[in-house]
């Protein structure tokens, strides 16, 4: 166990596409929430050495400086080694006071929600920044924390290839270390879904993915996961925990964790959570499920599945467990230098391949 995810569900604003576990910032709820979170961590943490902590949301930096200080004091409970400590921020909340606080508390990675610099798309997504403010705040943050990820959303209805290219160019100019990309998905219960928004055309979606991959690769970003790109040595250690199918704690409202071969998800009800009724669902995985998840998650990495690591982990050969002959023949999967991976041409259609490793 080397990783911890902590969910801070409060936001100052509701984005039109968002289906994360979140609620409007409310001082009273925050106070009770932080107390309950502390108790959950004390109840469950077993003193392992932790190498990554990811404080996500919601919007962690919607909390006040005092509330954030309390949170940083709580996480001092973790014994750490060479820690990657990431905090998610919304670009419009970035300010000197919070950056100084982050630095003082050893935050060494920021993941900044930007999504786009295009004024029309910002409005459509109901985000609250503007381009000038966002560029200024990112540059300021970069002087404090020298490892920054920015999220980019594409395939927004009405967006053109030209719009996307301008966004990517702005991202590249910022010279940040990591870029995560998301094709907009219309999730039920979001404003966009309720408004009967349409998905963009599949061909355009593909062209957009292709443009992102080629432009970022040309500009020295290593494409290391289906949707993630980084400068050399700046891959997200925390997210690699998930893709490597390793165990991790999940603390907070709606958070998920994976401990002792059991996946669990916390309640999404803030009243229950603040009353310390934490876990809502849990499922112990049998050996077959564990191996399926190893494939399903591991094939998201561009490097793919390490055949000998699979053997060490499960004491079985991957090709005896899964019949991948057909996928290899179709060149959807390739076997190379001890790894099995999705071929570059099929990355865009990765879901159609990954589905082969889910089920009974
Ligand atoms: S996208 Fe982020 S900031 Fe927007 S509502 Fe969702 S959690 Fe809050």
């Amino acid at each position: 166990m080397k990783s911890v995810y902590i969910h801070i569900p409060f936001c100052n604003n509701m984005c039109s596409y968002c289906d994360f576990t979140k609620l409007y910032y409310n001082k009273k709820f925050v106070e009770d929430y932080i107390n309950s979170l502390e108790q959950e961590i004390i109840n469950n943490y077993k003193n392992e050495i932790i190498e990554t902590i990811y404080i996500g949301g919601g919007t962690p930096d919607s909390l006040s400086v005092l509330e954030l200080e309390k949170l940083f004091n709580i996480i001092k409970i973790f014994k750490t080694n060479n820690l990657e400590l990431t905090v998610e921020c919304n670009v419009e909340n970035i300010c000197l006071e919070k950056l100084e606080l982050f630095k003082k508390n050893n935050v060494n990675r920021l993941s900044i929600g930007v999504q786009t610099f295009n004024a029309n798309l910002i409005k459509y997504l109901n985000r609250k920044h503007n381009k000038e403010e966002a560029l200024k705040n990112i540059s300021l943050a970069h002087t404090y924390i020298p490892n920054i990820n920015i999220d980019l959303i594409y395939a927004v209805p009405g967006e053109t290839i030209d719009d996307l290219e301008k966004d990517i160019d702005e991202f590249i100019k910022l010279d940040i270390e990591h870029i995560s990309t998301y094709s907009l998905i219309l999730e039920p219960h979001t404003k966009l879904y309720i408004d009967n928004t349409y998905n963009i055309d599949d061909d355009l979606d593909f062209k957009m993915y292709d443009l992102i991959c080629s432009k970022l690769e040309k500009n020295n970003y290593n494409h290391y996961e289906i949707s993630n790109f980084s400068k050399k040595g700046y891959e997200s250690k925390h997210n690699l925990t998930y893709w490597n199918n390793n165990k991790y704690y999940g603390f907070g409202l709606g958070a998920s964790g994976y401990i002792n071969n059991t996946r669990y998800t916390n309640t999404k009800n803030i009243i229950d959570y603040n009353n310390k009724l934490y876990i809502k669902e849990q499922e112990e995985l049998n050996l077959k499920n564990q191996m399926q998840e190893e494939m399903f998650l591991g094939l998201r990495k561009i490097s793919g599945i390490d055949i000998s690591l699979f053997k060490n982990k499960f004491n079985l050969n991957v090709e005896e467990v899964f019949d991948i002959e057909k996928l290899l023949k179709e060149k959807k999967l390739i076997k190379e230098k001890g790894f099995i991976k999705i071929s570059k041409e099929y990355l865009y259609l990765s879901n159609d391949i990954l589905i082969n490793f889910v089920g009974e």
Side-chain angles (χ1 to χ4, degrees):
M1 184 79 59
K2 292 180 182 165
S3 292
V4 172
Y5 174 78
I6 295 175
H7 192 74
I8 303 297
F10 304 99
C11 291
N12 303 118
N13 164 62
M14 294 294 140
C15 306
S16 59
Y17 57 93
C18 174
D19 78 330
F20 298 150
T21 305
K22 83 272 179 199
L23 61 155
Y24 275 111
Y25 175 89
N26 168 313
K27 205 170 176 38
K28 173 76 183 84
F29 271 149
V30 173
E31 199 182 321
D32 292 347
Y33 184 78
I34 291 182
N35 290 334
S36 196
L37 178 68
E38 180 171 25
Q39 195 58 52
E40 190 196 3
I41 295 173
I42 291 170
N43 291 353
N44 293 286
Y45 172 54
K46 301 280 185 298
N47 288 316
E48 302 94 334
I49 303 288
I50 298 299
E51 292 179 5
T52 78
I53 298 176
Y54 191 103
I55 302 177
T59 313
D61 67 337
S62 66
L63 302 192
S64 69
V65 168
L66 273 179
E67 290 158 348
L68 284 167
E69 268 176 345
K70 202 160 175 210
L71 178 64
F72 287 126
N73 278 331
I74 292 171
I75 66 171
K76 286 190 181 136
I77 188 176
F78 296 114
K79 291 182 185 156
T80 62
N81 178 33
N82 195 18
L83 181 72
E84 176 189 270
L85 172 52
T86 306
V87 178
E88 275 183 5
C89 298
N90 262 359
V91 73
E92 66 272 21
N93 293 342
I94 290 174
C95 64
L96 271 178
E97 209 183 0
K98 286 185 186 168
L99 288 170
E100 270 160 15
L101 180 75
F102 291 157
K103 200 161 180 182
K104 194 173 101 195
N105 286 281
N106 305 318
V107 174
N108 50 19
R109 187 169 184 270
L110 290 183
S111 181
I112 304 180
V114 174
Q115 322 307 346
T116 176
F117 290 110
N118 178 310
N120 292 332
L121 301 181
I122 290 172
K123 198 165 164 209
Y124 189 85
L125 298 171
N126 199 31
R127 304 279 310 189
K128 294 297 165 199
H129 58 276
N130 63 56
K131 183 176 165 185
E132 290 66 35
E133 172 196 49
L135 293 174
K136 194 173 94 232
N137 287 355
I138 294 164
S139 300
L140 177 68
H142 213 180
T143 61
Y144 277 78
I145 315 279
N147 184 0
I148 288 192
N149 168 62
I150 301 189
D151 294 341
L152 164 72
I153 281 192
Y154 66 97
V156 179
E159 183 179 17
T160 64
I161 280 277
D162 241 31
D163 293 333
L164 176 64
E165 186 152 21
K166 282 186 189 133
D167 258 344
I168 303 171
D169 287 340
E170 292 291 354
F171 275 55
I172 290 169
K173 265 195 260 163
L174 284 165
D175 200 25
I176 33 131
E177 288 69 27
H178 194 284
I179 298 175
S180 298
T181 68
Y182 301 89
S183 169
L184 181 72
I185 297 175
L186 300 171
E187 302 282 5
H189 312 300
T190 60
K191 180 171 185 311
L192 290 186
Y193 187 89
I194 292 163
D195 289 350
N196 285 325
T197 307
Y198 60 93
N199 275 311
I200 69 157
D201 177 80
D202 281 350
D203 283 350
L204 181 56
D205 191 66
F206 169 70
K207 279 185 194 147
M208 287 181 162
Y209 182 72
D210 202 41
L211 179 72
I212 289 170
C213 296
S214 61
K215 282 205 82 143
L216 292 184
E217 279 171 36
K218 255 185 230 147
N219 284 278
N220 296 325
Y221 284 93
N222 175 30
H223 188 186
Y224 75 103
E225 192 269 351
I226 293 170
S227 311
N228 283 275
F229 303 79
S230 80
K231 298 238 180 108
K232 199 164 182 297
Y234 286 95
E235 297 80 9
S236 163
K237 271 167 63 182
H238 184 83
N239 286 345
L240 280 165
T241 300
Y242 304 142
W243 302 318
N244 287 331
N245 197 23
N246 289 334
K247 312 285 190 298
Y248 59 96
Y249 288 110
F251 296 118
L253 191 73
S256 301
Y258 184 32
I259 301 176
N260 297 332
N261 296 327
T262 300
R263 290 212 180 262
Y264 66 89
T265 307
N266 279 352
T267 178
K268 295 187 175 179
N269 181 320
I270 185 85
I271 309 284
D272 284 350
Y273 188 86
N274 285 354
N275 282 324
K276 306 188 172 58
L277 300 169
Y278 301 114
I279 293 184
K280 173 87 173 164
E281 288 164 15
Q282 48 188 331
E283 186 194 359
E284 192 177 341
L285 302 186
N286 60 31
L287 181 64
K288 175 118 190 260
N289 297 151
Q290 291 168 39
M291 291 188 292
Q292 285 172 328
E293 296 206 346
E294 186 83 8
M295 298 302 283
F296 186 79
L297 295 164
L299 284 171
R300 294 194 60 89
K301 291 176 294 175
I302 303 304
S303 60
I305 300 285
D306 182 332
I307 296 171
S308 57
L309 210 70
F310 187 99
K311 169 91 180 164
N312 287 345
K313 207 163 171 181
F314 301 108
N315 209 17
L316 289 164
N317 290 318
V318 60
E319 287 180 80
E320 283 167 20
V321 181
F322 299 103
D323 182 7
I324 57 168
E325 197 58 37
K326 188 163 174 279
L327 292 169
L328 288 170
K329 263 197 194 127
E330 291 169 342
K331 299 208 169 13
K332 291 180 176 167
L333 288 182
I334 47 178
K335 212 163 114 181
E336 202 175 69
K337 297 181 184 156
F339 283 78
I340 296 169
K341 58 186 181 184
I342 298 180
S343 62
K344 204 167 177 189
E345 296 68 39
Y346 280 92
L347 279 179
Y348 176 72
L349 297 170
S350 54
N351 282 345
D352 296 351
I353 298 171
L354 298 176
I355 203 98
N356 288 282
F357 302 98
V358 189
E360 290 307 296

